[in-house]
């Protein structure tokens, strides 16, 4: 999979993308991430990419021209399955969307700043708008990093034990069961007997029951979505 990211702050990504699972995905050549600095696509002086908003009011808006230049130039060499704009008013990111996007070949992600990007870019280029939650961040970089992480770990071959993602929370609309590791007795707090029974059927049944119990307690809304 190839993910291109359009940003005014490419440096923000060096931390999250250079460790752990994302690093491994890149090393295994299962994922290529290209960072593109929007300022390289502006014809305005001093790398200007934003301007005052029409109608007045506080806050700058990202100008359409540099964005359109960049999107068109990148699209000339890569056929994007989706051009995604990270936005608080977009569709909420969930596991279903992550699963869906993990099967794509090429994605372009646009990170906004200030008051956001000129609406005409959203109308004419963007094919999908994604929010990571009902709160406002100062830029689209952290949301984009969240999206890339959740999608990348689902690309077949990225996780060592390929089946492990299948048992994460939200797959099958259930929360994950509690997990334990050694020692079996820590300060007198015991690991549930089922998990150390050595019987895979008993373990599986316990995990499923705990998943259902936890989902009913914490997120009953997920159980009502079973049919989707
Ligand atoms: N004025 C806008 C917010 C702009 S925040 C509004 O009220 O909707 C600046 C940029 O940060 C946005 O363009 C977007 O790319 C990013 N951003 C902020 N919060 C986000 C969220 N919850 N999900 C995804 N992107 C977000």
């Amino acid at each position: 999979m190839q993910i291109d990211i359009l940003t005014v702050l490419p440096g923000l990504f060096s931390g999250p993308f250079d460790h752990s699972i994302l690093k491994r995905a890149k090393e295994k050549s299962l994922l290529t991430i290209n960072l593109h600095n929007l300022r390289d696509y502006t014809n305005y002086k001093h790398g200007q990419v934003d301007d005052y908003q029409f109608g007045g009011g506080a806050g700058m808006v990202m100008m359409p021209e540099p964005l359109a230049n960049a999107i068109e130039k990148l699209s000339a060499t890569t056929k994007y399955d989706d051009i995604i704009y990270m936005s608080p008013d977009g569709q909420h990111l969930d596991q279903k969307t992550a699963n869906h996007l993990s099967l794509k070949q090429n994605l372009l992600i646009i990170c906004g700043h200030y008051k956001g990007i000129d609406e005409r870019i959203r109308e004419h280029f963007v094919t999908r708008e994604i929010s990571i939650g009902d709160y406002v961040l100062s830029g689209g970089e952290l949301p984009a990093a969240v999206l890339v992480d959740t999608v990348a770990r689902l690309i077949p071959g990225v996780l060592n034990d390929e089946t492990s993602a299948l048992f994460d929370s939200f797959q099958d609309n259930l929360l994950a069961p509690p997990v334990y590791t050694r020692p079996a007795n820590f300060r007198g707090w015991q690991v549930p007997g089922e998990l150390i029974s050595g019987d895979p059927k008993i373990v599986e049944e316990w995990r499923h029951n705990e998943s259902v119990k936890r989902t009913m307690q914490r997120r009953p809304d997920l159980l009502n979505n079973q049919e989707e």
Side-chain angles (χ1 to χ4, degrees), residues 62 85-89 110-117 122 130-141 143-144:
M62 291 175 76
Y85 172 48
M86 304 310 301
S87 182
D89 61 6
I110 301 170
C111 306
H113 261 273
Y114 322 112
K115 293 300 280 182
I117 67 173
R122 300 174 70 165
I130 295 180
S131 162
I132 62 161
D134 286 346
Y135 41 84
V136 177
L137 292 103
S138 47
E141 284 76 14

Side-chain angles (χ1 to χ4, degrees), residues 98-125:
N99 286 335
H100 177 78
L101 291 176
S102 72
L103 302 173
K104 304 288 181 190
Q105 281 306 308
N106 299 302
L107 300 175
L108 175 60
I109 303 177
I110 301 170
C111 306
H113 261 273
Y114 322 112
K115 293 300 280 182
I117 67 173
D118 189 287
E119 187 69 17
R120 290 164 290 185
I121 295 297
R122 300 174 70 165
E123 281 170 9
H124 296 286
F125 291 104

Side-chain angles (χ1 to χ4, degrees), residues 14 24 56 63 65 82 174 181 195 203 209 217-218:
S14 51
R24 202 189 313 151
M63 293 186 287
E65 199 181 318
D82 258 319
L174 287 176
T181 186
L195 291 180
V203 171
N209 289 342
Q217 280 166 352
R218 298 183 183 204

